[in-house]
Every structure is written in C-alpha cells, then in structure tokens.
Amino acid sequence: MPTATVTMKKGLGLNITGQPGPNVETVTGFDRIGVVPERIPFVKPRLHVAEGDTVRRGSLLFTDKRNPDIRFVSPAGGTVKTIDFGPRRVIRAIVIAVDKEETCETFDPLSEKKVSAMQKADLAALLVKAGLWPFLRALPFRDMADPLSDPPAIIVNLEALAPFHPGPLVYLEGAADLFKLGMSALFRLAPRTLVAASPETSTRLTALSPLISHTVDGPYPADDPGVLLYYTRSSQADNRSWYIHGADVVLLGEFLKTGCFPVNRVVAVSTPTLQYYYRTRMGAPLVRLAPGLDKADNIQIMAGGLWRGQRVSADSFLGMYETAVTALPDGKVSEFLGFLRPGTNKPTRSRAFLSRLRKGPLPMDAGMHGEERACVNCGTCATVCPVDILPQFTVKAVLAGEVEESLAHGLLDCVECGLCAYVCPSKIELTEHLKTARQAYYMETMAP
C-alpha cells in the first residue's frame, strides 16, 4: 500500500540519562505471577476465582461488570495464592503461585489463511473468549473496544517514543512473522487498518514495509494513535477508531499460532543503578526485574512509563499493558540557593536554565521543583500540545464546570501525553485535570 507521511511539529523529545542499551536480557523462572486489575483503565472487575483455586494459563480470573463478556484471564498456571483488596474492596492484585509445569487453556491454532477466511463475529468471539480482547481499545477515551461494534478504523502504533520504552527494533526482533499473523486478524476486524511508524523504522524493518501505511515524523507523542487520528481523520465517525500497540499485535499473532494465551513481554527497566531491556513475562514481580527496589529509599517507581504510567510499590507486578518500569529519585532533597544557580544539569523546556543549550543526556528526578501557582497565560503548554488545543483555557473551563466550553476547546482531542503539565512554569497539573474531566464526561454520558 502507498505510504502517507505525517509531520508533527509540536511535542517534546527529552534526552534523559537512563536509556537501556541495545542488548536484551532474559529473566524467567518466577515462582509467583501477579495480575493488577486496579491499573486497567475503567474496568470494574467481578471475580471468578477465590484463594486456593487452581488455574491454567488462560483460565478466567475476572470479568468486567460493565460488560460480562469481556474476560481477563490468568497469565500463569498454578494456584491462586492471594487476592489483595485495597480500600473499598478495590482489587489490587491477584497473586498466582506458579506450577513447575504450567498447563494452558488451548484453542485450535490458526494460520493466516484461516484467519482471513473467518467471519468478523467469529474472530471477535474467539479473541474475547481467549482473553485477548482487552488489548483492543477505543478512542477517544481509551476504554476497551466494544466487540459488537464496527470501528471505522484500527490504528496500530509501532513506535514507543516516551523515555525508556522498548521500540519496534527491540520488541519486533525475531517476531516479524507473529506480527504479520496478528495483523491478519486486525484486517478481518476492520475495513481500514492504519499502521504507523517513524521514517527510520519504516526504512529498517523492510520485512514489514508493505504493512506500514503511515510514517509519522516528530518527537513524543508522535507515536500516539490519537495524534495520527488528529492528522488523518476525514469525518466525525473516525473519532471512534480502535487502536492497539505493535507489541500487543505480536501477542495476538502468538496466540493465533500456538492456541495458548501469550505472556511474553519485552520490558525496559531503568533505575539509577540499572538499565536493561528484559525479555520476560506478563505479571512478573517488579523486584525480580529490578533487584533492590524494595530496599531503596527516596525512590519513586513508575510502571508504564514516565508520562502515562502509574506510581507503584516495589512489591507490585507488571501490568498487562505495561512495557516499562522506571525508578527515579523522588527529588525531595532541597537545593540550597537553587534559584541563583544557572541550572546546567536540569532537563527543561525553559530558557531560564543553561541546560536548554546542552545536547547530552541529563539526569531526571520526580520532584516538582516548585509549588503550584496561578496560571499566567504564558501559552507554554500550547507550544508543545501535539493536537493544537489550548490546554490552559481548556483546564479553566473544566475547573469552572463549563463542560460545553471545554469540549469546544478540544477536551476530547487531548491525548493525555503529559507534556502540558511538564512544561508549565506554574507547576499546574494540567494533564491530570484534563484526564479527570475526560473520564468524568465518559462515565456520565457514554460509558456502558
């Protein structure tokens, strides 16, 4: 297919210390695996197991109360050891003691030819039953897609431009055939499927070049499906497109080839003392991926990346969508007379620090480096917004309770990239306000 080119001029690329090297190490042999429902957006889990139950890989663990057909299955075979409940009975983790010889719920393997001959409804039902459906998510709210709906398009984003995520040259190594098989299923689910990659990836992954429909050139978040949709949509219906990440397409292909729920993951781990790509499995204990995290002081751990990840404890597990674990100094150490220093070693967008002129990687921490102040209408947030909304005015409308005005300013176009909050000189949590408002609007007006 002909390749279209999208050039994104806004966004922000940060050169931060801690990027893993090119080699991929293997970490396996876990005696316990965990599932973390509280880190799955919007889901309201209904448990189908109890402590002491025996499960196979692919056995049903819980369904979504909003749609009981959506199944979440076990990434390991063994015994349900612990179900950890938090406040208001929120399920924090389902911990499975892994058997030495794991058994698996099996389905008939499918070739690309067989997949291409299937009816859409039959293929969707298979993916739902096998627990693969939650990897397909719908824009603009990023909830799980409705298996009974017909999307105008499915967007496959190959890149991972946020700091410390495995890119396509890493996670697709040796997996091109699985990716192609997974793509054959997506072509059956939607009449139009877009595959986006950077110009470099498109050039280097020659085996996949025929599948790539769009090259997107630009800094983070040029890899986001919402950004591609913003530049390519031709009608309002396109706003309901589905998306899936390239690494999850590989999982889809692995399931079709083997008939067993796939658990392999390539994960980027970056801590102050450790930077590696690991070939591991879904649900892995974080302390096995980054030894010593449970004993480290003044560290903030993010699962899922710096911009869109969630803060977690060291005793947690790798979530089903997560391909990055990042630990940063919490940044709570006070800097004596910091306001007088030229700031030669601070990653920043501001021209107030000399580090703006540096080209080498800079260390980053999780500190705010200041307190929240009133918005000064400087417009800095708008200079990095990849979808050209005016975050400062949108947030003001949100805080004033003016829903229609916030929608007119582009609330639903927001891709929740986190850049507006990062560059705000007043330290306003713009992204959190926008994300909360989007979720509230969805739950009140459109959620199942």
Side-chain angles (χ1 to χ4, degrees):
M1 65 176 70
T3 303
T5 300
V6 173
T7 301
M8 191 186 80
K9 296 182 179 179
K10 293 184 180 180
L12 184 64
L14 288 179
N15 192 4
I16 308 171
T17 58
Q19 183 67 38
N23 297 327
V24 181
E25 306 290 336
T26 300
V27 180
T28 56
F30 304 106
D31 60 356
R32 60 192 181 102
I33 290 294
V35 178
V36 282
E38 68 172 347
R39 300 214 295 269
I40 302 175
F42 297 107
V43 72
K44 295 181 178 179
R46 175 179 281 118
L47 278 171
H48 288 258
V49 293
E51 292 182 359
D53 286 356
T54 300
V55 294
R56 297 180 177 184
R57 190 185 348 155
S59 293
L60 177 64
L61 293 181
F62 61 93
T63 55
D64 190 350
K65 292 180 182 179
R66 303 171 306 154
N67 184 350
D69 291 333
I70 302 297
R71 297 161 55 94
F72 294 84
V73 301
S74 174
T79 303
V80 178
K81 183 179 180 180
T82 306
I83 300 178
D84 181 16
F85 290 96
R88 301 180 65 181
R89 300 286 290 176
V90 171
I91 305 173
R92 286 177 170 168
I94 303 170
V95 183
I96 299 163
V98 182
D99 287 342
K100 292 183 179 179
E101 295 183 4
E102 295 184 61
T103 56
C104 183
E105 301 284 353
T106 56
F107 297 82
D108 292 335
L110 295 172
S111 64
E112 185 174 339
K113 182 177 180 180
K114 290 182 178 179
V115 171
S116 300
M118 292 182 70
Q119 295 295 320
K120 172 187 179 293
D122 294 336
L123 178 58
L126 173 64
L127 298 180
V128 168
K129 186 176 181 180
L132 273 294
W133 193 262
F135 290 108
L136 282 162
R137 300 165 74 179
L139 294 169
F141 300 103
R142 301 174 189 252
D143 195 359
M144 288 168 290
D146 180 0
L148 300 180
S149 66
D150 294 314
I154 296 179
I155 299 173
V156 180
N157 52 317
L158 294 185
E159 302 297 334
L161 298 181
F164 318 139
H165 280 258
L169 299 178
V170 176
Y171 70 76
L172 283 174
E173 184 178 1
D177 290 341
L178 295 178
F179 180 83
K180 292 178 182 178
L181 183 55
M183 285 299 303
S184 69
L186 299 183
F187 288 134
R188 293 300 300 145
L189 292 174
R192 179 168 167 251
T193 301
L194 311 180
V195 182
S198 68
E200 179 186 8
T201 297
S202 182
T203 300
R204 297 182 64 177
L205 293 179
T206 55
L208 301 182
S209 293
L211 295 174
I212 296 175
S213 62
H214 289 75
T215 57
V216 184
D217 191 14
Y220 171 82
D223 58 323
D224 189 272
V227 173
L228 180 64
L229 178 66
Y230 177 75
Y231 282 98
T232 61
R233 63 188 172 193
S234 57
S235 69
Q236 187 175 358
D238 288 340
N239 291 327
R240 297 182 293 103
S241 295
W242 298 355
Y243 73 95
I244 182 172
H245 191 266
D248 299 330
V249 178
V250 173
L251 296 183
L252 182 58
E254 185 180 344
F255 164 73
L256 295 172
K257 181 179 180 179
T258 65
C260 186
F261 183 77
V263 297
N264 295 318
R265 274 295 192 198
V266 177
V267 179
V269 176
S270 179
T271 74
T273 59
L274 178 74
Q275 297 89 38
Y276 278 107
Y277 289 122
Y278 286 131
R279 197 176 303 278
T280 184
R281 64 182 292 173
M282 198 181 301
L286 299 188
V287 290
R288 281 291 308 279
L289 300 179
L293 275 187
D294 54 336
K295 300 177 182 178
D297 295 326
N298 304 318
I299 289 290
Q300 181 169 308
I301 307 168
M302 300 294 294
L306 294 180
W307 300 122
R308 292 191 172 99
Q310 300 181 48
R311 185 172 182 174
V312 299
S313 60
D315 60 356
S316 188
F317 302 86
L318 190 68
M320 66 178 297
Y321 298 121
E322 295 162 358
T323 59
V325 177
T326 309
L328 296 176
D330 60 17
K332 293 182 179 179
V333 178
S334 61
E335 188 177 5
F336 181 67
L337 296 179
F339 65 95
L340 293 177
R341 299 187 179 185
T344 58
N345 208 34
K346 294 180 178 180
T348 182
R349 170 82 173 180
S350 172
R351 290 176 292 181
F353 300 104
L354 290 180
S355 56
R356 175 74 181 270
L357 304 176
R358 289 188 55 176
K359 297 185 181 298
L362 297 168
M364 188 175 187
D365 61 44
M368 289 287 290
H369 298 280
E371 297 180 351
E372 183 172 329
R373 301 178 293 277
C375 175
V376 294
N377 289 327
C378 63
T380 304
C381 53
T383 66
V384 297
C385 179
V387 291
D388 297 317
I389 71 173
L390 301 174
Q392 71 275 38
F393 295 127
T394 311
V395 168
K396 287 181 179 179
V398 166
L399 296 178
E402 298 291 342
V403 177
E404 294 299 326
E405 184 177 348
S406 67
L407 294 173
H409 274 299
L411 177 65
L412 300 189
D413 282 329
C414 172
V415 296
E416 302 175 12
C417 64
L419 292 183
C420 56
Y422 177 77
V423 302
C424 178
S426 293
K427 311 295 181 182
I428 301 172
E429 293 286 1
L430 295 165
T431 306
E432 192 62 30
H433 289 306
L434 294 170
K435 184 177 180 179
T436 301
R438 282 162 51 86
Q439 290 177 348
Y441 178 78
Y442 177 54
M443 298 303 291
E444 290 175 7
T445 63
M446 305 182 69

